[in-house]
Amino acid sequence: MHMEPIILASSSPRRQEILQFLHIPFIVNPADIDESVPGDIKNEAAAEFLAARKVEAVARKLLADQEAGWILGADTLLIHRNRILGKPKNQDEAREFLTSLQGQTHKVITGIALFNGALHYMSTRTSINKVTFAPMTQQEISSYLETSEWHGAAGAYRIQGIGSCFIKRLEGTESSVMGLPIFELYDMLKEQNYQFTI
């Protein structure tokens, strides 16, 4: 039995790796959206809102000339002291993020949205994780910034890289902090009768 290809509305190499790990065929079709979040959306719902917006943008792009089967969108945000930390604009902002996170616990929120083209139905989920950073010296922060891992990473670090040296505790799942929670994704696919073969 062949699994249907899923359109991934993201260019994230981490999300691609997770789909490859699950042997799910996919086509990368990144969504180009405005990632600002309306003020009436709570911080913890922002990732799910953006994931759905990515799926909608790709669906609009596709429906003009082809039938969309499955579209998957995901977005990961950090919340620390009631502030959303997205991808740092530059190294100075990355240093500011890491300085505020060190020795503290923050939330990593990943929202996913799955569009089922046959039913014209979209389901969404949110996975909330807590990550505790060890205290870091200024030298450790500077050395980490030199690795360039902070580029394009929410909160300025990547759990699957050198950043893991500073993660003292994780309450949640590593795949969710990486950007695509495997349990929630599998559960959504199953719920939508996607022909999944493990």
Side-chain angles (χ1 to χ4, degrees), residues 114-147:
L114 178 69
F115 178 73
N116 179 335
L119 299 177
H120 286 270
Y121 172 75
M122 181 160 61
S123 55
T124 58
R125 296 272 179 98
T126 290
S127 171
I128 300 178
N129 311 266
K130 286 184 180 175
V131 176
T132 303
F133 259 60
M136 297 169 76
T137 64
Q138 284 305 311
Q139 179 55 49
E140 283 173 325
I141 291 172
S142 295
S143 296
Y144 184 66
L145 290 170
E146 282 168 24
T147 69

Side-chain angles (χ1 to χ4, degrees), residues 4-194:
E4 293 176 68
I6 289 177
I7 293 165
L8 178 63
S10 164
S11 57
S12 158
R14 250 54 56 190
R15 294 185 181 122
Q16 293 175 43
E17 280 167 23
I18 289 169
L19 290 178
Q20 283 163 352
F21 167 70
L22 295 171
H23 303 294
I24 295 174
F26 64 92
I27 298 152
V28 176
N29 192 334
D32 183 21
I33 62 158
D34 168 15
E35 295 203 7
S36 56
V37 178
D40 59 341
I41 289 189
K42 292 190 174 73
N43 284 353
E44 290 191 355
E48 195 174 294
F49 169 84
L50 291 172
R53 187 180 261 182
K54 288 176 183 179
V55 167
E56 285 160 1
V58 171
R60 270 197 304 275
K61 200 162 50 168
L62 289 177
L63 291 175
D65 58 3
Q66 69 190 91
E67 186 58 41
W70 300 88
I71 306 172
L72 175 65
D75 195 83
T76 301
L77 297 169
L78 266 70
I79 299 176
H80 184 49
R81 296 178 178 145
N82 293 320
R83 176 185 171 205
I84 291 179
L85 304 186
K87 295 165 187 163
K89 292 184 200 69
N90 51 44
Q91 191 165 328
D92 287 343
E93 190 169 55
R95 181 181 298 277
E96 184 218 320
F97 286 2
L98 291 170
T99 302
S100 72
L101 295 176
Q102 58 97 20
Q104 302 280 318
T105 297
H106 60 274
K107 286 181 182 173
V108 178
I109 317 271
T110 294
I112 54 175
L114 178 69
F115 178 73
N116 179 335
L119 299 177
H120 286 270
Y121 172 75
M122 181 160 61
S123 55
T124 58
R125 296 272 179 98
T126 290
S127 171
I128 300 178
N129 311 266
K130 286 184 180 175
V131 176
T132 303
F133 259 60
M136 297 169 76
T137 64
Q138 284 305 311
Q139 179 55 49
E140 283 173 325
I141 291 172
S142 295
S143 296
Y144 184 66
L145 290 170
E146 282 168 24
T147 69
S148 298
E149 256 187 25
W150 59 271
H151 282 285
Y157 74 90
R158 288 200 161 90
I159 192 173
Q160 70 283 5
I162 300 294
S164 59
C165 290
F166 308 108
I167 292 170
K168 190 174 172 183
R169 191 167 71 247
L170 164 64
E171 296 167 63
T173 63
E174 190 174 2
S175 62
S176 179
V177 179
M178 280 172 68
L180 190 59
I182 290 172
F183 170 77
E184 282 80 359
L185 173 63
Y186 177 61
D187 207 43
M188 287 166 85
L189 289 169
K190 208 164 55 170
E191 183 183 83
Q192 293 294 314
N193 294 318
Y194 177 81

